[in-house]
Amino acid sequence: MPELTYLEAINAALHDEMDADPRVFCLGEDVGRQGGAFGATKGIQQKYGELRSIDTPVAEAGIAGVAIGAAMAGQRPVAEMQFGDFVSIAFDQIVTCAAKMHYRIGWAVPMVVRCPNGGGVGGGPYHSENVEAWFHHHAGLKIVCPATADDAYGLLRASIQDPNPVVFCEHKFLYRREKADVPTGADGRIVPLGKARVARTGSDLSIITYASTVRLSMAVADTLEAEGTSVEVVDLRTLVPLDREAVLASVKKTGKAMIVHEDNLTGGFGAEVAAIVAQEAFEYLDAPVTRVAAIDTPIPFTPVLEREYLPTEEDILRAARELAAY
Amino acid sequence: MPELTYLEAINAALHDEMDADPRVFCLGEDVGRQGGAFGATKGIQQKYGELRSIDTPVAEAGIAGVAIGAAMAGQRPVAEMQFGDFVSIAFDQIVTCAAKMHYRIGWAVPMVVRCPNGGGVGGGPYHSENVEAWFHHHAGLKIVCPATADDAYGLLRASIQDPNPVVFCEHKFLYRREKADVPTGADGRIVPLGKARVARTGSDLSIITYASTVRLSMAVADTLEAEGTSVEVVDLRTLVPLDREAVLASVKKTGKAMIVHEDNLTGGFGAEVAAIVAQEAFEYLDAPVTRVAAIDTPIPFTPVLEREYLPTEEDILRAARELAAY
Amino acid sequence: MTSPARKISVVPDLPSVEVSDDLALDLYYWMTLTRAVEERALNLYRQGKLPGSYYTGRGQEAIAVGIALPLVRGEDGDWLSPWIRDLGSYLVHGVPVWRIFAQFMGKAGSTTRGKDGNLHIGGREWNIPCQVSHMADMIPLTVGAALAYKQRGEKRVAVTSFGDAATSRGDFHEGLNIAAVLEVPAVFVAENNGWGYSTPISKQTKVTDLHRKAAAYGIPAVSVDGNDVFAVYAALKASVDAAREGGGPQFVECKTYRMGGHAAHDKYESYMPMEVLAEWSDKDPIKRAEAILLEEREITEARLESIRERARDEVRQAVEQAEDDGYPDAAEAHQGVFAETAD
Amino acid sequence: MTSPARKISVVPDLPSVEVSDDLALDLYYWMTLTRAVEERALNLYRQGKLPGSYYTGRGQEAIAVGIALPLVRGEDGDWLSPWIRDLGSYLVHGVPVWRIFAQFMGKAGSTTRGKDGNLHIGGREWNIPCQVSHMADMIPLTVGAALAYKQRGEKRVAVTSFGDAATSRGDFHEGLNIAAVLEVPAVFVAENNGWGYSTPISKQTKVTDLHRKAAAYGIPAVSVDGNDVFAVYAALKASVDAAREGGGPQFVECKTYRMGGHAAHDKYESYMPMEVLAEWSDKDPIKRAEAILLEEREITEARLESIRERARDEVRQAVEQAEDDGYPDAAEAHQGVFAETAD
Ligand SMILES: Cc1ncc(C[n+]2csc(CCOP(=O)(O)OP(=O)(O)O)c2C)c(N)n1
Ligand SMILES: Cc1ncc(C[n+]2csc(CCOP(=O)(O)OP(=O)(O)O)c2C)c(N)n1
Ligand SMILES: [Mg+2]
Ligand SMILES: [Mg+2]
């Protein structure tokens, strides 16, 4: 079993789903011969041909719309946005057509929109966006945000198999930094959508997080452990459906909730988690519900500014110490 | 001083700003001779001519983009979406170009996008959307949601005068239902963005709300008053900038926070308010932070389903009673 | 009983198409039914029995019917995504009349179980996706369906219609361009009725001959008289055949005129020139078809009357059934956001 | 000293344009400067001194320069929104060289104060809006600026350039259509270099002669040799003049070839045909201009060398100044989300 990076795990999941189901196909800009801007679709055109690996024109609304139509006509499209940022152009197709079709006529739209997400890579305001909050408000869309190579593989397979439109937010910063021994092919493990993962158990406070900030939170938990504070880290994995039970169980146990994400603070998914906690676990809370997230600005380009923008391990640590001491 | 409906107040604000500032102009589908689908721009083409009242092709991305460019070139465009729902098509232009331009190069984009918002009018899934949560996450946009005819007038004038892109969510249900004696012209009152309005003072619990649910909340407050519960109603007026002080002052006073909006629950603006309250007023809270909102589905068409979808006065009353009794 | 089929050749670019008398009568029947449904629905709307807005395609029945009749019906047939003027397309493609009334009324028997209204009609059983309000959004979807058929090597086509104003939208452009590049079996039908709500086409685009827009994508295009049901049928039949046989996407412009307001509540008298309306009234597609059937095809008036009678009967029964139908339970509002299975 | 102006007539549709020797040398100077900046920046990038990605417009300098030189500079001049291949446009339109290096380096002197990178350069003082990554988004903005000039009765134009792949986007379509209908003074320049990242234009559109797309909007269009700076200049000059004088929007296609990867990190050798690259290398716009200057205009080699020397000097000084510049304070990240005033 080879060690795969998060990016290789995505590639493997695509290969395995293409293999298992002839209805699955990839489409997007440069996804074919080139294998995509990051190589996520590498080898697929060579193996499955041009009809199942389609280099599209630069037209994100069109790409999404074509995927929706193909899904309704019985295929299982996996559309790639070259960068998640560009899914803003497909916003209308996704919320207007994909999200509402099943509710209206019970006709499923089984498709995945892969969005290379997130900052920390010097991409500037248009190659670093975290797009989950563009969609999590919208009934009818599933939102998946893997934090590890295993989950990237298992959640992508589950997303492709899911009968609903899924916005799959794969974090670019993790592409080559997250690695694991990921079983693939016949041994591949599907990770069901809607199940959080307790990445680390603890008793003093809960960090609820997902994607790129899981590893930061784990590091913080290590540091605090040494200081005598026991931190539980809940990796949400999917924002929609949300594993409310896992979130509430953890907070009820520790009495302290901290929500961490890389995306901007205001109106980020953390607000929803905080609201749920403040409503449903109120009686268990020993401290304010705390959020750590990016500042409320676009994502600046130059490293010194990008660092200021992003939530760092230090930011999380500081907030966690405060919360622990509360 | 004539009594104006909310819709007439919007029309008056447009006239008054067109009059006061030659840079102001209206654009959108059917806004010219027709005065728009609802009559919001009535009389403007007749008075100010075709160059300042432009019937555009059906192209919401183009309309938004043209407004942005015109704003940067020194004009003060007021773009109308025929229904707020269609702003999904302009999403990319608004978040990509309008929201981030000033942050990047300090070049202001003074424009307003008027979005006829909201349900309760039998419009179905594509003529009833509340669009504020599509944008409130996005740094660089102001979001305005008037609840009364006075505010519709005063906030629209403030929005047009503001040097930033403003998403102006005017509620269709209120168009002809809200009325007030609204001074206009030289006597017109500007309502500054970022200042909430305590619509009713109270001491037992705070309802924080905006737009169409303000009137419902006021009715609930009346009912509860008779039952001996004193409800404070805070009308946010603008979601961005948010008047945090007003929200926190109210909650700190009453110890109980309930957030009410017509938009879907999950990821709605109420989540953000709840998160702020749970973090910053935690020590003052005597009860769970409660949210009342639409159910998490698209907006169904037929009256019996639409009623089930929308938060009603009864829903708010029930939740408020529970909270009061907590 | 029926005279031999006639060849209809609308435009030199397309092969001519045979239209037998039976087919001609079919076209007539569907147009008649379409108008009967719409007239009845308009009455119901005026009586306050239909929630929401009401749109009619009066005067455009030849297009609605001519688009759909060349297509294969049923779940495994051709994809059809009609525009809101095209009630006739829904009827021809298989949606039962009573369910259309139920849809207008917001009843449980609506194709959307009351969740959507007016012409937002659809269902997998008819291979009709449910259109959204957002004009031109259905164009890329139609391209996607056509792509699916091509990928699986099925000889099916995907067809969509839209108004002239929809050609201003980005999704029109992206959809057509992708269709051309991927060479999928999609047929695009532009219904050029001169207006988009209160806006005349001259303010919508400088190129008011919409078929000329197809050249920007390298898509073959024709323009036909949209008030001549035989011409529309022939253009569609030839285009659909071409697409089905691997000829790639096709574009058909149907020229017509909007015979009234944008919707029933629209005070169009304030902006539409009455004399032009009157002129077009003389070109009414049903009257024109009648004249051809009576004069050129020598069909008897009695036969036409029996067809009209059949249509009226169907409408009567359908309205009864829809009126008897209940409203959905409130609980329905909570159902169906997500699919449990795709099949 | 200079020979008399020559009339350049690129296409029969456009009036011919005078290009004096001084102007010809100006064009040469700006192309030379553009290349010198890009070569230096590429070195810096390879040394790891430029964060982010690095894009060059090598081989497209004639377009970048030819677009900008006919325009009026300055805050009250013409709006110019260049594409990422058009470093030369920024230079000609007034952005100081050192600030471009500062931009690449993410320094405080960057036109975005380090908030954006690479060719996302802009500022009100030059009437250059800062482009966004999202291809074609700047087209509607440019139409809006042109509209503002028309509304105020100012004789200004708004110009934008974009790559061939951008023509697939909805915003291209919506922008051009609106520009045509509103008859605004906008000029659209399509740089047809045959590729969009790894995708050849044949997979981008069936209509690879991009000027033919303008016909769908009723916009006058010409196509010129994008490697001939005199032709590009003349086409732009004539188009800009036409737009300025009330002729409505204009479209210019410049045919060229992308002389390498999409960005510096792109392994284009795997997909670009080397023999075609070699052919186009012979058509290098700077070499071609040199030949014309030396042979047809009888400019001395010494004069050209002094121009090249001037460009090298400027680059040297600019790099020094940019290197001396500091990075922005971290606090800058928090500033500027909202404007306090629009003026
Ligand atoms: C994207 C979008 N913008 C606006 C509307 C509102 N609207 C509904 S129909 C219509 C005009 C349609 O004109 P056209 O496409 O010519 O069709 P017709 O009504 O003439 O059949 C408009 C503007 C819409 N449905 N979708
Ligand atoms: C909307 C959008 N989608 C995808 C990208 C990623 N991208 C950057 S440049 C490019 C290709 C550009 O090709 P073209 O327009 O021909 O310009 P060229 O690079 O050839 O100059 C792509 C796909 C983008 N910037 N914007
Ligand atoms: Mg029309
Ligand atoms: Mg190119």
Short mmCIF file of all heavy atoms in Angstrom, two decimals, chain A residues 76-119:
data_model
loop_
_atom_site.label_atom_id
_atom_site.label_comp_id
_atom_site.label_asym_id
_atom_site.label_seq_id
_atom_site.Cartn_x
_atom_site.Cartn_y
_atom_site.Cartn_z
N ARG A 76 -22.59 10.54 -14.39
CA ARG A 76 -22.08 10.94 -13.07
C ARG A 76 -20.91 11.88 -13.26
O ARG A 76 -19.75 11.52 -13.07
CB ARG A 76 -21.63 9.70 -12.28
CG ARG A 76 -22.73 8.72 -11.90
CD ARG A 76 -23.66 9.29 -10.85
NE ARG A 76 -24.72 8.35 -10.49
CZ ARG A 76 -25.87 8.23 -11.16
NH1 ARG A 76 -26.13 8.98 -12.21
NH2 ARG A 76 -26.78 7.36 -10.74
N PRO A 77 -21.20 13.11 -13.65
CA PRO A 77 -20.13 14.05 -13.95
C PRO A 77 -19.34 14.50 -12.73
O PRO A 77 -19.92 14.70 -11.65
CB PRO A 77 -20.85 15.24 -14.60
CG PRO A 77 -22.26 15.11 -14.19
CD PRO A 77 -22.54 13.67 -13.95
N VAL A 78 -18.08 14.66 -12.92
CA VAL A 78 -17.21 15.28 -11.92
C VAL A 78 -16.58 16.49 -12.61
O VAL A 78 -15.69 16.34 -13.45
CB VAL A 78 -16.12 14.30 -11.44
CG1 VAL A 78 -15.28 14.96 -10.35
CG2 VAL A 78 -16.74 13.00 -10.95
N ALA A 79 -17.09 17.65 -12.27
CA ALA A 79 -16.62 18.88 -12.92
C ALA A 79 -15.50 19.49 -12.10
O ALA A 79 -15.61 19.57 -10.87
CB ALA A 79 -17.77 19.87 -13.06
N GLU A 80 -14.45 19.88 -12.75
CA GLU A 80 -13.36 20.56 -12.03
C GLU A 80 -13.41 22.05 -12.31
O GLU A 80 -13.48 22.48 -13.46
CB GLU A 80 -12.00 19.99 -12.49
CG GLU A 80 -10.82 20.74 -11.88
CD GLU A 80 -9.46 20.12 -12.20
OE1 GLU A 80 -9.24 18.96 -11.83
OE2 GLU A 80 -8.62 20.79 -12.84
N MET A 81 -13.37 22.84 -11.25
CA MET A 81 -13.06 24.25 -11.39
C MET A 81 -11.53 24.33 -11.33
O MET A 81 -10.92 23.70 -10.47
CB MET A 81 -13.66 25.07 -10.25
CG MET A 81 -15.18 25.02 -10.16
SD MET A 81 -16.01 25.97 -11.47
CE MET A 81 -16.95 24.68 -12.29
N GLN A 82 -10.94 25.11 -12.21
CA GLN A 82 -9.47 25.12 -12.19
C GLN A 82 -8.96 25.65 -10.84
O GLN A 82 -8.01 25.11 -10.29
CB GLN A 82 -8.94 25.95 -13.35
CG GLN A 82 -7.48 25.67 -13.63
CD GLN A 82 -7.13 25.97 -15.07
OE1 GLN A 82 -6.88 27.11 -15.44
NE2 GLN A 82 -7.08 24.94 -15.90
N PHE A 83 -9.62 26.65 -10.33
CA PHE A 83 -9.44 27.08 -8.95
C PHE A 83 -10.84 27.24 -8.38
O PHE A 83 -11.75 27.69 -9.11
CB PHE A 83 -8.68 28.40 -8.86
CG PHE A 83 -7.20 28.25 -9.05
CD1 PHE A 83 -6.67 28.11 -10.32
CD2 PHE A 83 -6.34 28.21 -7.96
CE1 PHE A 83 -5.30 27.95 -10.51
CE2 PHE A 83 -4.97 28.05 -8.14
CZ PHE A 83 -4.44 27.92 -9.42
N GLY A 84 -11.00 26.94 -7.10
CA GLY A 84 -12.31 27.06 -6.49
C GLY A 84 -12.89 28.45 -6.68
O GLY A 84 -14.11 28.62 -6.86
N ASP A 85 -12.03 29.44 -6.67
CA ASP A 85 -12.46 30.84 -6.82
C ASP A 85 -13.40 31.03 -8.01
O ASP A 85 -14.32 31.85 -7.96
CB ASP A 85 -11.25 31.76 -7.03
CG ASP A 85 -10.14 31.51 -6.02
OD1 ASP A 85 -9.64 30.37 -5.97
OD2 ASP A 85 -9.77 32.44 -5.30
N PHE A 86 -13.16 30.28 -9.09
CA PHE A 86 -13.92 30.51 -10.32
C PHE A 86 -15.34 29.94 -10.25
O PHE A 86 -16.15 30.18 -11.15
CB PHE A 86 -13.17 29.96 -11.53
CG PHE A 86 -11.77 30.51 -11.66
CD1 PHE A 86 -10.71 29.69 -12.03
CD2 PHE A 86 -11.51 31.85 -11.38
CE1 PHE A 86 -9.42 30.20 -12.13
CE2 PHE A 86 -10.22 32.36 -11.48
CZ PHE A 86 -9.17 31.53 -11.86
N VAL A 87 -15.62 29.21 -9.18
CA VAL A 87 -16.98 28.67 -9.05
C VAL A 87 -17.98 29.81 -8.80
O VAL A 87 -19.19 29.61 -8.92
CB VAL A 87 -17.02 27.59 -7.95
CG1 VAL A 87 -17.09 28.21 -6.55
CG2 VAL A 87 -18.20 26.65 -8.16
N SER A 88 -17.49 30.99 -8.49
CA SER A 88 -18.38 32.15 -8.41
C SER A 88 -19.15 32.32 -9.72
O SER A 88 -20.30 32.77 -9.72
CB SER A 88 -17.58 33.43 -8.12
OG SER A 88 -16.57 33.62 -9.08
N ILE A 89 -18.53 31.96 -10.81
CA ILE A 89 -19.17 32.10 -12.13
C ILE A 89 -20.25 31.05 -12.31
O ILE A 89 -21.23 31.27 -13.02
CB ILE A 89 -18.08 32.00 -13.23
CG1 ILE A 89 -17.09 33.16 -13.10
CG2 ILE A 89 -18.72 31.94 -14.61
CD1 ILE A 89 -15.85 32.99 -13.94
N ALA A 90 -20.08 29.93 -11.66
CA ALA A 90 -21.06 28.84 -11.77
C ALA A 90 -22.09 28.90 -10.66
O ALA A 90 -22.96 28.02 -10.56
CB ALA A 90 -20.33 27.49 -11.73
N PHE A 91 -22.02 29.94 -9.83
CA PHE A 91 -22.90 30.04 -8.67
C PHE A 91 -24.36 29.89 -9.06
O PHE A 91 -25.12 29.12 -8.47
CB PHE A 91 -22.65 31.38 -7.97
CG PHE A 91 -23.50 31.61 -6.76
CD1 PHE A 91 -23.16 31.05 -5.53
CD2 PHE A 91 -24.65 32.40 -6.82
CE1 PHE A 91 -23.94 31.27 -4.40
CE2 PHE A 91 -25.43 32.61 -5.70
CZ PHE A 91 -25.08 32.05 -4.48
N ASP A 92 -24.76 30.63 -10.07
CA ASP A 92 -26.17 30.58 -10.47
C ASP A 92 -26.58 29.17 -10.88
O ASP A 92 -27.61 28.66 -10.43
CB ASP A 92 -26.44 31.57 -11.60
CG ASP A 92 -27.83 31.34 -12.19
OD1 ASP A 92 -28.80 31.47 -11.42
OD2 ASP A 92 -27.94 31.01 -13.37
N GLN A 93 -25.82 28.55 -11.74
CA GLN A 93 -26.19 27.20 -12.17
C GLN A 93 -26.30 26.26 -10.98
O GLN A 93 -27.22 25.44 -10.90
CB GLN A 93 -25.15 26.66 -13.17
CG GLN A 93 -25.36 27.14 -14.61
CD GLN A 93 -26.58 26.51 -15.27
OE1 GLN A 93 -27.11 25.50 -14.79
NE2 GLN A 93 -27.04 27.09 -16.36
N ILE A 94 -25.38 26.39 -10.04
CA ILE A 94 -25.37 25.46 -8.92
C ILE A 94 -26.55 25.70 -7.98
O ILE A 94 -27.24 24.75 -7.60
CB ILE A 94 -24.01 25.53 -8.19
CG1 ILE A 94 -22.90 25.00 -9.12
CG2 ILE A 94 -24.03 24.74 -6.88
CD1 ILE A 94 -21.49 25.21 -8.62
N VAL A 95 -26.81 26.95 -7.63
CA VAL A 95 -27.90 27.18 -6.67
C VAL A 95 -29.27 27.17 -7.35
O VAL A 95 -30.26 26.77 -6.75
CB VAL A 95 -27.73 28.47 -5.83
CG1 VAL A 95 -26.39 28.50 -5.12
CG2 VAL A 95 -27.93 29.72 -6.65
N THR A 96 -29.32 27.60 -8.59
CA THR A 96 -30.62 27.71 -9.26
C THR A 96 -31.06 26.38 -9.85
O THR A 96 -32.22 25.97 -9.69
CB THR A 96 -30.56 28.80 -10.36
OG1 THR A 96 -30.21 30.03 -9.75
CG2 THR A 96 -31.89 28.93 -11.09
N CYS A 97 -30.16 25.73 -10.56
CA CYS A 97 -30.56 24.48 -11.23
C CYS A 97 -30.24 23.25 -10.39
O CYS A 97 -31.13 22.44 -10.11
CB CYS A 97 -29.87 24.39 -12.59
SG CYS A 97 -30.38 25.69 -13.74
N ALA A 98 -28.99 23.08 -10.00
CA ALA A 98 -28.61 21.83 -9.33
C ALA A 98 -29.31 21.68 -7.98
O ALA A 98 -29.89 20.63 -7.67
CB ALA A 98 -27.09 21.76 -9.14
N ALA A 99 -29.28 22.74 -7.16
CA ALA A 99 -29.74 22.61 -5.78
C ALA A 99 -31.25 22.39 -5.69
O ALA A 99 -31.72 21.75 -4.76
CB ALA A 99 -29.35 23.86 -4.98
N LYS A 100 -32.00 22.93 -6.63
CA LYS A 100 -33.45 22.93 -6.46
C LYS A 100 -34.19 21.92 -7.33
O LYS A 100 -35.42 21.82 -7.26
CB LYS A 100 -34.00 24.34 -6.76
CG LYS A 100 -33.46 25.43 -5.84
CD LYS A 100 -34.18 26.75 -6.09
CE LYS A 100 -33.78 27.85 -5.13
NZ LYS A 100 -32.61 28.61 -5.59
N MET A 101 -33.48 21.20 -8.17
CA MET A 101 -34.18 20.32 -9.11
C MET A 101 -34.88 19.18 -8.40
O MET A 101 -36.05 18.90 -8.66
CB MET A 101 -33.18 19.79 -10.15
CG MET A 101 -33.79 19.14 -11.36
SD MET A 101 -34.83 20.25 -12.36
CE MET A 101 -33.60 21.24 -13.23
N HIS A 102 -34.18 18.51 -7.49
CA HIS A 102 -34.81 17.36 -6.85
C HIS A 102 -35.99 17.76 -5.99
O HIS A 102 -37.01 17.08 -5.96
CB HIS A 102 -33.80 16.56 -6.02
CG HIS A 102 -34.37 15.27 -5.53
ND1 HIS A 102 -34.98 15.15 -4.30
CD2 HIS A 102 -34.49 14.06 -6.13
CE1 HIS A 102 -35.43 13.92 -4.16
NE2 HIS A 102 -35.14 13.24 -5.25
N TYR A 103 -35.85 18.84 -5.30
CA TYR A 103 -36.96 19.31 -4.46
C TYR A 103 -38.21 19.55 -5.30
O TYR A 103 -39.32 19.22 -4.90
CB TYR A 103 -36.55 20.60 -3.76
CG TYR A 103 -37.57 21.15 -2.78
CD1 TYR A 103 -37.80 20.51 -1.57
CD2 TYR A 103 -38.27 22.32 -3.05
CE1 TYR A 103 -38.72 21.01 -0.65
CE2 TYR A 103 -39.18 22.84 -2.14
CZ TYR A 103 -39.41 22.17 -0.93
OH TYR A 103 -40.31 22.67 -0.03
N ARG A 104 -38.02 20.08 -6.49
CA ARG A 104 -39.17 20.43 -7.32
C ARG A 104 -39.79 19.23 -8.01
O ARG A 104 -41.00 19.09 -8.06
CB ARG A 104 -38.76 21.50 -8.35
CG ARG A 104 -38.32 22.82 -7.68
CD ARG A 104 -38.08 23.90 -8.73
NE ARG A 104 -37.13 23.46 -9.73
CZ ARG A 104 -37.19 23.78 -11.01
NH1 ARG A 104 -38.14 24.56 -11.47
NH2 ARG A 104 -36.27 23.34 -11.84
N ILE A 105 -38.97 18.38 -8.60
CA ILE A 105 -39.57 17.29 -9.36
C ILE A 105 -39.02 15.91 -9.03
O ILE A 105 -39.27 14.95 -9.77
CB ILE A 105 -39.48 17.50 -10.90
CG1 ILE A 105 -38.05 17.84 -11.30
CG2 ILE A 105 -40.47 18.55 -11.37
CD1 ILE A 105 -37.83 17.73 -12.81
N GLY A 106 -38.26 15.82 -7.94
CA GLY A 106 -37.79 14.49 -7.55
C GLY A 106 -36.85 13.84 -8.55
O GLY A 106 -36.77 12.61 -8.61
N TRP A 107 -36.19 14.65 -9.31
CA TRP A 107 -35.24 14.13 -10.31
C TRP A 107 -33.84 14.44 -9.78
O TRP A 107 -33.47 15.61 -9.64
CB TRP A 107 -35.48 14.82 -11.64
CG TRP A 107 -34.78 14.25 -12.82
CD1 TRP A 107 -33.66 13.48 -12.85
CD2 TRP A 107 -35.17 14.43 -14.19
NE1 TRP A 107 -33.33 13.17 -14.14
CE2 TRP A 107 -34.24 13.74 -15.00
CE3 TRP A 107 -36.20 15.12 -14.83
CZ2 TRP A 107 -34.31 13.72 -16.39
CZ3 TRP A 107 -36.26 15.10 -16.21
CH2 TRP A 107 -35.33 14.39 -16.98
N ALA A 108 -33.11 13.41 -9.50
CA ALA A 108 -31.81 13.57 -8.84
C ALA A 108 -30.76 14.18 -9.78
O ALA A 108 -30.81 13.98 -10.99
CB ALA A 108 -31.32 12.23 -8.32
N VAL A 109 -29.83 14.88 -9.19
CA VAL A 109 -28.72 15.49 -9.92
C VAL A 109 -27.40 15.03 -9.30
O VAL A 109 -26.78 15.73 -8.50
CB VAL A 109 -28.81 17.04 -9.88
CG1 VAL A 109 -27.72 17.66 -10.74
CG2 VAL A 109 -30.19 17.52 -10.35
N PRO A 110 -26.99 13.81 -9.66
CA PRO A 110 -25.78 13.25 -9.02
C PRO A 110 -24.51 13.77 -9.68
O PRO A 110 -24.06 13.25 -10.70
CB PRO A 110 -25.95 11.74 -9.27
CG PRO A 110 -26.78 11.65 -10.52
CD PRO A 110 -27.62 12.89 -10.60
N MET A 111 -23.95 14.80 -9.12
CA MET A 111 -22.75 15.39 -9.72
C MET A 111 -21.83 15.92 -8.63
O MET A 111 -22.26 16.17 -7.51
CB MET A 111 -23.14 16.54 -10.64
CG MET A 111 -23.77 17.70 -9.90
SD MET A 111 -24.33 19.04 -10.97
CE MET A 111 -22.81 19.96 -11.18
N VAL A 112 -20.59 16.08 -8.99
CA VAL A 112 -19.61 16.65 -8.07
C VAL A 112 -18.95 17.83 -8.76
O VAL A 112 -18.60 17.76 -9.94
CB VAL A 112 -18.53 15.60 -7.70
CG1 VAL A 112 -17.46 16.22 -6.81
CG2 VAL A 112 -19.17 14.40 -7.03
N VAL A 113 -18.84 18.94 -8.01
CA VAL A 113 -18.05 20.07 -8.50
C VAL A 113 -16.81 20.14 -7.61
O VAL A 113 -16.92 20.43 -6.42
CB VAL A 113 -18.83 21.39 -8.41
CG1 VAL A 113 -17.99 22.53 -8.97
CG2 VAL A 113 -20.14 21.29 -9.17
N ARG A 114 -15.68 19.83 -8.18
CA ARG A 114 -14.44 19.87 -7.41
C ARG A 114 -13.87 21.29 -7.41
O ARG A 114 -13.63 21.86 -8.47
CB ARG A 114 -13.42 18.89 -8.00
CG ARG A 114 -13.80 17.41 -7.82
CD ARG A 114 -12.69 16.46 -8.35
NE ARG A 114 -11.41 17.06 -8.12
CZ ARG A 114 -10.56 17.45 -9.07
NH1 ARG A 114 -10.84 17.23 -10.33
NH2 ARG A 114 -9.43 18.03 -8.76
N CYS A 115 -13.65 21.80 -6.21
CA CYS A 115 -13.15 23.17 -6.07
C CYS A 115 -11.82 23.17 -5.33
O CYS A 115 -11.80 23.00 -4.11
CB CYS A 115 -14.14 24.02 -5.29
SG CYS A 115 -15.73 24.19 -6.10
N PRO A 116 -10.71 23.35 -6.03
CA PRO A 116 -9.43 23.53 -5.33
C PRO A 116 -9.51 24.81 -4.52
O PRO A 116 -9.65 25.89 -5.08
CB PRO A 116 -8.41 23.61 -6.47
CG PRO A 116 -9.07 22.90 -7.62
CD PRO A 116 -10.53 23.25 -7.49
N ASN A 117 -9.43 24.65 -3.24
CA ASN A 117 -9.85 25.64 -2.26
C ASN A 117 -8.66 26.17 -1.49
O ASN A 117 -7.65 25.49 -1.36
CB ASN A 117 -10.77 24.91 -1.26
CG ASN A 117 -11.99 25.69 -0.87
OD1 ASN A 117 -12.50 26.46 -1.66
ND2 ASN A 117 -12.49 25.47 0.35
N GLY A 118 -8.80 27.36 -0.97
CA GLY A 118 -7.96 27.77 0.13
C GLY A 118 -6.67 28.49 -0.17
O GLY A 118 -6.18 28.51 -1.30
N GLY A 119 -6.13 29.10 0.88
CA GLY A 119 -4.95 29.94 0.79
C GLY A 119 -3.71 29.30 1.37
O GLY A 119 -3.62 28.09 1.53
#
